[in-house]
Amino acid sequence: MQTEPNTKNLVEFEAAIAKIRISFLQTLRDHRASLVQLLQIVLQEGSAEAEFEKIGGIAHKIAGVAGTLQLPELGAIAIRTERLIDSALGEEGSFTVTTELLESTATLLEHVNQACNEDIAP
Amino acid sequence: MKILVVDDDLTALALLEAALSLYGFNNVTLASSAKEAIYAINSAKTPFDCFLLDYRMPEVDGVDLCARLRAFPKYRAAPVIFVTAAADRISVNTAYAVGAVDYVSKPIDPQEIGVRVSIAEKLVLEEREKQKHEAPDGFGPQREQSFPNFTIADPVPIFSVNRVVSIVALENYLENQNGGRKHDAVFALAINEFDEIYEKASPAFTYAVLREVAKVLASGLERTGALISYNGYGEFVCASKRMDSESNGGHTRLINSRLARLDMRFEDKTPCKPTVTFGKPAKSSLWSSPPPSKLIEQALGASDDPENAFRSGASSFQNAISCSSPVLNM
């Protein structure tokens, strides 16, 4: 049973992580576009549950990997947003958009923006 | 070890593959949906040894996929590790209820993945060893003679019983639950006169007794959502939020009445009627939250009768790593 990675594996791992990070930052641009669109619907049309379900799905994907890809703050806000949405959706028939939820989603979008502005391969 | 990883997020899939490769697991197949996973399973020339499943996936989620996997006879005992987004009790409990052996929480921690999969590999090796020695038709003499020997102290792994996990998985579960400020009661229980069973029976029969008791415990404690682990010396450790000293009496009666219905006989045809005794629960509180290993130690030290104190105590993890069975050694 291998409990410690060897040097060769470690070098390969770091190279793989660098590539995955670039690919993730590119995916993040799609998430940014979706988040902007969904937030616009929430703010303009007042509909919320279906949109927040989709936002929750995006937050879930970011939450699962951002921390590992050296984006701890983005990961933390994604986890927080996902939990807030989960908890709001969990209360059957009484979905309400709280200020906390809106603020968290806006902060998530802000962090996604910052990450997208990082210098990455085209 | 051949591993199938299923996650609908391609970044997560790539990270899991990199983490596995870091720890020397290079025979990895990736699937981004349950449908792809089933296709990979059906078209695999050699079966997979281990599965890593994302808990939350669209259409068919990890829990459904796990249930479908368990329907394949060759995957009834294959280790399934869940990857859950949040260490929330509902997802973890559901995962264990459908046969997960362990879980890791997202965000993905490569080291944790490496350790968990290495433990699963140990289970795979143990299962292979067991199958090598098993005769196809139950307790034949050949099977009994060649069943791997184990000492009474060995926390032999119990396979394919839902909610029965390794002590390491139980500690991992408690660790995450305490992190979430939820408090499980941990209690130990012992098979009475297990020494006599161990002395009198073959290793194969002793193992069968442990497995039957584990099954009865899992079904008898199902409503309490208990997670159960075998710890050696005929002693089990359980963790549950819905059990306390008051309810233990009722559970003892229920478990023992179900055990009494089992028709098990030693090789000399005399009946084997195991019964169990529960210890007092150990619990963390709002003011003190001991680490899981300490909580387990407390539970194992909490017997009413000092003469019959739990013997697998001192350090359950120590038992796991000092197990005498060669394939169980970490």
Side-chain angles (χ1 to χ4, degrees), chain B residues 17 27 42 72 89 95 117 131 138 161 164 186 205 241 262 271:
Chain B
E17 185 185 29
N27 192 357
N42 285 330
F72 289 87
R89 186 179 173 83
V117 175
Q131 279 175 359
V161 183
V164 178
V186 178
F205 186 85
K241 270 188 186 35
L262 296 176

Side-chain angles (χ1 to χ4, degrees), chain A residues 24 28 31 35 55-67 71-86 101 103-112, chain B residues 56 85-86 106-107:
Chain A
F24 173 67
L28 217 47
H31 290 327
L35 281 174
I55 293 170
I58 293 169
H60 169 74
K61 288 192 174 178
I62 297 171
V65 297
L71 295 162
E73 286 178 9
L74 175 63
I77 188 65
I79 290 170
R80 180 174 147 75
T81 309
E82 185 191 5
R83 283 193 176 151
L84 285 171
I85 294 174
D86 274 357
L101 179 54
E103 276 175 2
S104 184
T105 311
T107 314
L108 174 64
L109 179 58
E110 201 181 303
H111 278 81
V112 168
Chain B
R56 193 187 291 201
K106 282 183 177 176

Side-chain angles (χ1 to χ4, degrees), chain B residues 33-52:
Chain B
S33 67
K35 197 175 166 187
E36 272 185 31
I38 296 293
Y39 178 80
I41 287 165
N42 285 330
S43 53
K45 284 180 185 154
T46 52
F48 291 98
D49 298 306
C50 174
F51 297 88
L52 248 75

Side-chain angles (χ1 to χ4, degrees), chain B residues 4-9 13 16 29-38 41 51-55 57 60 62 65 69 83:
Chain B
L4 178 63
V5 183
V6 192
D7 196 312
D8 64 306
D9 182 34
L13 267 186
L16 288 165
T29 303
L30 305 177
S32 63
S33 67
K35 197 175 166 187
E36 272 185 31
I38 296 293
I41 287 165
F51 297 88
L52 248 75
L53 308 182
D54 183 28
Y55 180 82
M57 291 191 287
V60 180
L65 179 57
L69 281 177
V83 185

